[in-house]
Amino acid sequence: MADKHARFFHYFMRASLVKQILVGLAAGIALAAVSTQAAVAVGLLGTLFVGALKAVAPVLVLMLVMASIAGHQQGQKTNIRPILVLYLIGTFSAALVAVSISFLFPSTLVLNAQAADVVPPSGIVAVLRGLLVSIIANPIDALLHANYIGILVWAVGFGIALRHGSQTTRQMVCDLSDAVTFIVRVVIRFAPVGIFGLVASTLAETGFGALWSYAHLLMVLIGGMALVAFGINPLIVFWKIRRNPYPLVLTCLRESGVTAFFTRSSAANIPVNMELCRKLNLDEDTWSVAIPLGATINMAGAAITITVLTLAAAHTLDIHVDLPTALLLSVVASLCACGASGVAGGSLLLIPLACSMFGISNDVAMQVVAVGFIIGVLQDSAETAVNSSTDVMFIAAVCEAEDARLAEKERLNPL
């Protein structure tokens, strides 16, 4: 019996996760079509899965970053700077794509929805102030509220301090990191069950009837995100690695984007992305820091959402937007996107900030936010898939480019 359980566990951990997720997806759709009541009931499985990911992600980030820095060898490169450059290029490029597609296919909103009971930031200064406050947060508070900027700062600080500790202490930190990683891998293996529950309950509770009135807006949003995912991002990756980028792009979308689409949270997808980086055999010193950082500031999908909905509001109110103003909006949307939280719907709360550029009142802007929540079933899912899959994509591109550079250097200068 024990051998049978061991074989099952081994198969469970080694079987193709993507195939299992596809089975869960199909099962969720089928259950929603057959029984709405049962589909709503199995929604608990999705809630538990997302909750488990969110629970383990802050501890995982703290331990991995701390262990990585504590065990870092002097002179070893982590390639964070070029990754940050790609994050910024990707987010700004996405905002430009959103401006272009909004001009080509202008959207009109029916601004009669009830404003959501949320308080948006009052300006870019407020966004930046919030980021600075997050940096100096109490470490326990940062863990409790999944403040990844604060967690990252404390993890770096602890890691640097532990580099002066004893070998036994550093080894203990590494062992704790391995233990948390094992727990995360077990949680991720339940993704098919979680996605089964998420899909079934979402289709049963919301359906897609409410989305038809916003079909044009959704097509513009998702079309822009698809253009970034399959056009702009591959170009950026090709510029970095100088070879066909699509095998890497499709791998990241399949392994990371699918899960992110259903969890609708960049923060919840951090463990998934870290597991994918490990599967791609990327440098752990690099991705252990870059993944939580990307979940905070690499927000191409958020930049598209902010830009498209803001320009839709301007078009609805007959506000003329010239090219220089549109370019400025791209910059503002990129900065706002970097301040978006890693939770479902985080980018929508930054729309009033962008709307203020055109003199649109906060009352009207909050109605735009409410529209965003109505279409969020698809919009936020696609946005998160683009955001989260791009984190791994750019890290892999930088690591591969660095490996190629070192190989070329070694070829030209053999010992």
Side-chain angles (χ1 to χ4, degrees):
M1 183 65 69
D3 289 341
K4 185 183 293 185
H5 289 163
R7 286 196 300 270
F8 174 78
F9 183 75
H10 184 269
Y11 173 79
F12 177 71
M13 294 296 289
R14 297 291 182 180
S16 172
L17 185 62
V18 175
K19 293 179 181 178
Q20 292 176 353
I21 288 175
L22 290 177
V23 171
L25 174 62
I29 295 173
L31 182 62
V34 172
S35 172
T36 301
Q37 187 174 357
V40 172
V42 300
L44 176 62
L45 297 174
T47 302
L48 291 174
F49 173 65
V50 175
L53 284 176
K54 289 183 177 180
V56 77
V59 181
L60 175 67
V61 170
L62 177 67
M63 296 307 304
L64 271 180
V65 174
M66 187 165 60
S68 177
I69 294 176
H72 180 72
Q73 300 297 320
Q74 190 68 28
Q76 185 178 355
K77 292 188 66 176
T78 57
N79 301 312
I80 294 298
R81 184 178 300 174
I83 291 173
L84 285 176
V85 171
L86 291 192
Y87 284 170
L88 295 176
I89 291 174
T91 300
F92 182 65
S93 299
L96 291 177
V97 167
V99 167
S100 302
I101 200 170
S102 294
F103 279 167
L104 290 173
F105 307 101
S107 303
T108 302
L109 305 177
V110 179
L111 299 177
N112 57 2
Q114 294 296 318
D117 186 21
V118 291
V119 180
S122 58
I124 291 180
V125 174
V127 174
L128 295 177
R129 184 186 296 117
L131 290 175
L132 290 174
V133 170
S134 296
I135 288 174
I136 62 169
N138 178 283
I140 304 301
D141 183 76
L143 285 169
L144 287 174
H145 295 93
N147 168 13
Y148 288 97
I149 289 291
I151 293 170
L152 200 57
V153 169
W154 278 101
V156 170
F158 283 135
I160 292 173
L162 285 169
R163 292 182 66 179
H164 303 286
S166 67
Q167 178 61 35
T168 304
T169 302
R170 294 200 300 272
Q171 184 59 48
M172 183 192 70
V173 172
C174 290
D175 290 342
L176 286 172
S177 175
D178 291 342
V180 175
T181 299
F182 174 79
I183 293 173
V184 168
R185 296 181 69 179
V186 172
V187 171
I188 290 174
R189 296 309 305 190
F190 284 94
V193 178
I195 287 176
F196 163 68
L198 287 170
V199 171
S201 61
T202 298
L203 291 178
E205 292 175 356
T206 65
F208 291 99
L211 304 179
W212 285 115
S213 60
Y214 298 102
H216 181 272
L217 178 61
L218 270 171
M219 289 177 65
V220 171
L221 280 166
I222 296 177
M225 293 175 192
L227 181 58
V228 168
F230 296 103
I232 301 302
N233 286 343
L235 284 175
I236 295 173
V237 172
F238 175 77
W239 167 70
K240 198 68 183 176
I241 65 177
R242 302 297 179 181
R243 68 169 178 84
N244 180 9
Y246 282 98
L248 174 60
V249 170
L250 295 177
T251 296
C252 292
L253 286 171
R254 183 179 68 249
E255 303 275 349
S256 172
V258 170
T259 307
F261 184 90
F262 293 106
T263 61
R264 295 172 58 193
S265 170
S266 296
N269 215 47
I270 286 176
V272 177
N273 279 349
M274 288 185 166
E275 183 65 22
L276 177 56
C277 286
R278 185 178 287 104
K279 183 177 178 180
L280 294 174
N281 199 28
L282 304 181
D283 179 31
E284 186 169 341
D285 286 334
T286 298
W287 58 254
S288 62
V289 177
I291 287 295
L293 196 59
T296 306
I297 66 171
N298 183 35
M299 294 287 177
I304 292 173
T305 296
I306 294 168
T307 303
V308 168
L309 285 173
T310 299
L311 289 177
H315 180 73
T316 301
L317 299 173
D318 291 325
I319 298 173
H320 175 68
V321 181
D322 55 21
L323 184 58
T325 306
L327 292 175
L328 179 59
L329 174 62
S330 298
V331 175
V332 172
S334 300
L335 293 174
C336 289
C338 291
S341 61
V343 298
S347 61
L348 297 176
L349 303 186
L350 295 163
I351 290 172
L353 194 159
C355 285
S356 66
M357 285 182 55
F358 304 102
I360 298 174
S361 69
N362 192 61
D363 289 342
V364 174
M366 288 309 296
Q367 292 182 42
V368 179
V369 173
V371 171
F373 278 113
I374 292 172
I375 64 174
V377 172
L378 290 180
Q379 167 270 323
D380 196 38
S381 297
E383 174 187 313
T384 309
V386 172
N387 290 344
S388 199
S389 62
T390 307
D391 295 347
V392 181
M393 192 186 307
F394 288 162
I395 293 170
V398 168
C399 289
E400 183 174 327
E402 180 63 16
D403 290 342
R405 186 189 70 81
L406 292 176
E408 181 67 12
K409 182 178 179 181
E410 185 175 327
R411 186 183 69 83
L412 296 175
N413 299 289
L415 294 177

